[in-house]
Amino acid sequence: MAEPAPRKRVRRGERARPVASVAPHADPAAAIEVDRLIRERLRLAILSALAVNDSLTFNELKALIRATDGNLSVHARKLEQARYLTCLKSYQGRLPRTEFRITELGRRALLRYLDHMEALISAMRERR
């Protein structure tokens, strides 16, 4: 039995490359790529929430996805570095206000991810 290939480590701050996922009977040229960045639960939740809202403030997003300040900050920063969302910081009176919006690149990445998940679900239902 062949050993699985070692996993490549991604350096801090570096964007993970998408992983190709191909069903055994599928044409490798038609592989659907899964974006590792979106696959993480909180990042998927962030992009999903922003996809159905024009924009959300930090506190609105935090409450919606039930995240802590630290978790939301870290995951939002990774998505911002990948240009999947934008972050606008301003002040409302004396209070800081952080507002997030999904970018077109982020929306396309989310749609690709959802298409991949739908294909997997469909394939599993066909195998029953």
Side-chain angles (χ1 to χ4, degrees), residues 47-106:
L47 287 179
S48 298
L50 291 172
V52 296
N53 290 283
D54 289 334
S55 68
L56 290 169
T57 66
F58 185 91
N59 288 329
E60 290 169 338
L61 188 54
K62 182 176 84 165
L64 191 61
I65 66 173
R66 297 184 180 149
T68 64
D69 288 4
N71 277 342
L72 179 54
S73 293
V74 167
H75 291 293
R77 180 157 301 146
K78 288 191 180 291
L79 292 169
E80 185 180 17
Q81 288 170 345
R83 298 187 330 257
Y84 286 179
L85 63 81
T86 59
C87 173
L88 177 65
K89 295 184 183 252
S90 62
Y91 284 90
Q92 199 168 32
R94 291 182 165 222
L95 298 175
R97 177 183 168 91
T98 302
E99 186 175 73
F100 297 106
R101 292 179 187 270
I102 192 169
T103 64
E104 189 56 40
L105 181 64

Side-chain angles (χ1 to χ4, degrees), residues 18-35 112 115-116 119:
V19 175
S21 174
V22 181
H25 60 278
D27 175 15
I32 299 172
E33 293 184 351
V34 176
D35 191 331
R112 273 193 315 272
D115 287 344
H116 178 76

Side-chain angles (χ1 to χ4, degrees), residues 7-17 36-37 43 78 81:
R7 291 181 64 178
K8 243 186 167 178
R9 292 190 54 109
V10 177
R11 291 186 197 131
R12 181 171 278 189
E14 185 178 289
R15 184 170 170 209
R17 290 192 183 122
R36 286 185 178 178
L37 194 64
R43 290 184 218 142
K78 288 191 180 291
Q81 288 170 345

Side-chain angles (χ1 to χ4, degrees), residues 113-127:
Y113 180 84
L114 293 175
D115 287 344
H116 178 76
M117 290 299 112
E118 286 175 351
L120 285 175
I121 291 166
S122 178
M124 289 303 296
R125 288 199 169 132
E126 288 174 7
R127 293 188 84 181

